[in-house]
Amino acid sequence: NAGVTQTPKFRVLKTGQSMTLLCAQDMNHEYMYWYRQDPGMGLRLIHYSVGEGTTAKGEVPDGYNVSRLKKQNFLLGLESAAPSQTSVYFCASSPGGETQYFGPGTRLLVL
Amino acid sequence: KNEVEQSPQNLTAQEGEFITINCSYSVGISALHWLQQHPGGGIVSLFMLSSGKKKHGRLIATINIQEKHSSLHITASHPRDSAVYICAAGGGADGLTFGKGTHLIIQP
């Protein structure tokens, strides 16, 4: 089992560019989450999904969109990147309200 | 919105010392999580607890639901325990609310 994987590991964007971060899990988990981690802020929830075809907003959803077309994948999109979105992004999955399993993270730098 | 506070923010100790990290939260929860973030960035779940105490190796986590407080203890600390320890409250469908983490350094 690969667990939770994230693609890409690192990316540099210019302001206004778009990109999609991919999270994949092979544990058949229902719940998936996207978090961002910033210095001095701790991890914050961006969006989450409780099952295929469902998504919901978290604490800091502005500037991001998500999709969960397949149970194993959770995509995070940035339509028009801004420097404030420079961060480390973590995906996590959970069988349902229990222990969360985290991906290795994606470092994003927006210039 | 739940507020999660951790203390201390930074802790440096000598190998072998007993370590305690504290976590308090403002709103009643169903579960409290302790996570470890390695220097390379990866995050691993250590404990999820809703009452009492759990032990795994040299790590012990306790929670007092009435006082909305949890502690993580490390016995016989070792340099490989150096990491950021993160407390998180809640879970379930709407994710976790995280503390800012405790940076722990164990010196040989």
Side-chain angles (χ1 to χ4, degrees):
Chain A
N1 282 353
V4 180
T5 58
Q6 292 183 231
T7 308
K9 289 184 171 54
F10 177 70
R11 183 78 183 269
V12 179
L13 287 179
K14 294 181 180 178
T15 296
Q17 287 185 319
S18 63
M19 77 164 295
T20 300
L21 283 67
L22 170 64
C23 176
Q25 52 97 2
D26 61 3
M27 297 174 283
N28 202 36
H29 287 170
E30 288 294 335
Y31 294 2
M32 296 186 74
Y33 312 86
W34 276 108
Y35 298 98
R36 60 178 289 173
Q37 185 177 41
D38 302 293
M41 296 290 292
L43 286 144
R44 292 179 293 169
L45 180 65
I46 305 171
H47 285 279
Y48 63 96
S49 167
V50 300
E52 182 179 316
T54 71
T55 63
K57 294 180 180 180
E59 182 185 354
V60 289
D62 294 342
Y64 305 95
N65 57 75
V66 288
S67 64
R68 183 107 182 261
L69 299 180
K70 293 182 179 180
K71 187 177 183 178
Q72 64 267 33
N73 295 337
F74 195 27
L75 278 64
L76 178 71
L78 286 72
E79 291 185 349
S80 180
S84 61
Q85 294 177 303
T86 292
S87 188
V88 181
Y89 292 86
F90 286 96
C91 174
S93 71
S94 168
E98 299 172 9
T99 299
Q100 294 193 12
Y101 296 82
F102 287 79
T106 294
R107 293 183 178 274
L108 176 64
L109 174 62
V110 183
L111 302 175
Chain B
K1 180 179 180 297
N2 215 339
E3 301 290 335
V4 178
E5 298 288 337
Q6 282 185 241
S7 63
Q9 288 187 337
N10 299 284
L11 178 58
T12 299
Q14 297 297 313
E15 183 174 357
E17 287 188 35
F18 182 81
I19 303 299
T20 296
I21 299 170
N22 295 301
C23 174
S24 60
Y25 51 94
S26 59
V27 178
I29 55 172
S30 58
L32 190 288
H33 300 248
W34 282 101
L35 308 166
Q36 180 191 54
Q37 186 166 26
H38 301 295
I43 299 173
V44 175
S45 180
L46 297 174
F47 295 104
M48 185 185 77
L49 64 165
S50 55
S51 65
K53 175 181 174 179
K54 286 190 176 181
K55 184 175 188 291
H56 184 243
R58 295 180 294 105
L59 302 178
I60 303 166
T62 64
I63 188 169
N64 184 317
I65 298 296
Q66 287 73 27
E67 295 186 3
K68 297 186 177 65
H69 181 269
S70 177
S71 294
L72 177 69
H73 305 286
I74 304 175
T75 62
S77 60
H78 189 276
R80 64 175 175 267
D81 297 325
S82 298
V84 177
Y85 292 85
I86 302 170
C87 166
D94 52 358
L96 297 168
T97 301
F98 295 83
K100 294 181 180 179
T102 295
H103 291 73
L104 174 65
I105 297 173
I106 304 296
Q107 295 179 335

